[in-house]
Amino acid sequence: MSPSAFTRINLAACLAALALLLFLFIYPRMVLTELSDRICAGANELIGMIEAGDWAEANAGINAVNDAFQEKKERLKLFLDHEDLDELDATLMGCRRLIEVQEDKQILFELERVINIATYLKAARRGRPFHIKASIASQNSAAPSIVP
């Protein structure tokens, strides 16, 4: 191979590495920002519906919010802690049940919790290129030392 062929291969490898790094830093944040904004907006709309006493619309609204989350949940597991996603999933399911029984006081607290979780996930994602469990890092740093 001529030296120019190696230069082209190096350039192609650098471009591929750059594309991968850009993907790891940009794509998860785009997906999470869009989903978080969608969940927060939906939860705020639900609060208005519940305060107005429109339970039928609230039931349709919680289904729309839950469907939006379920659509992105599996992809987000690659980039976020599964426990955080499971907590949001369980809270949305709890909201659905509370709307079905028309528990207006408790559902408002749960919807605020949904907003808080979605906002936390969006903020927690900043600066992390991929999913690293904090518990593993804390287990390694908290290893007991053996002193004779």
Side-chain angles (χ1 to χ4, degrees):
M1 290 184 144
S2 67
S4 64
F6 286 119
T7 305
R8 286 186 215 148
I9 292 171
N10 285 337
L11 180 63
C14 288
L15 289 175
L18 179 65
L20 179 64
L21 286 174
L22 286 175
F23 173 78
L24 287 175
F25 278 100
I26 295 173
Y27 177 75
R29 187 162 184 186
M30 284 178 14
V31 170
L32 191 56
T33 300
E34 185 262 329
L35 180 64
S36 178
D37 292 345
R38 202 167 171 188
I39 289 173
C40 290
N44 285 323
E45 288 175 11
L46 283 168
I47 290 171
M49 291 174 197
I50 290 165
E51 289 174 344
D54 193 358
W55 293 102
E57 283 293 318
N59 194 24
I62 193 66
N63 287 334
V65 170
N66 190 40
D67 290 344
F69 173 69
Q70 295 300 329
E71 178 185 320
K72 307 274 187 193
K73 181 181 173 184
E74 293 303 315
R75 269 186 270 168
L76 289 174
K77 283 185 177 181
L78 296 172
F79 306 106
L80 294 172
D81 191 9
H82 295 216
E83 293 173 2
D84 293 335
L85 293 172
D86 291 342
E87 180 181 2
L88 182 57
D89 193 18
T91 306
L92 286 171
M93 288 296 149
C95 288
R96 178 184 279 170
R97 290 186 194 105
L98 289 170
I99 288 174
E100 288 173 359
V101 297
Q102 299 182 2
E103 181 64 44
D104 60 344
K105 300 215 182 329
Q106 184 64 32
I107 186 63
L108 295 176
F109 289 112
E110 292 298 318
L111 287 171
E112 286 297 327
R113 184 171 177 199
V114 166
I115 292 170
N116 288 340
I117 294 169
T119 304
Y120 165 77
L121 288 176
K122 181 177 163 182
R125 179 70 194 115
R126 288 192 186 137
R128 288 184 4 196
F130 44 85
H131 171 63
I132 300 174
K133 284 196 125 190
S135 61
I136 293 173
S138 65
Q139 287 174 358
N140 290 339
S141 65
S145 61
I146 301 173
V147 179

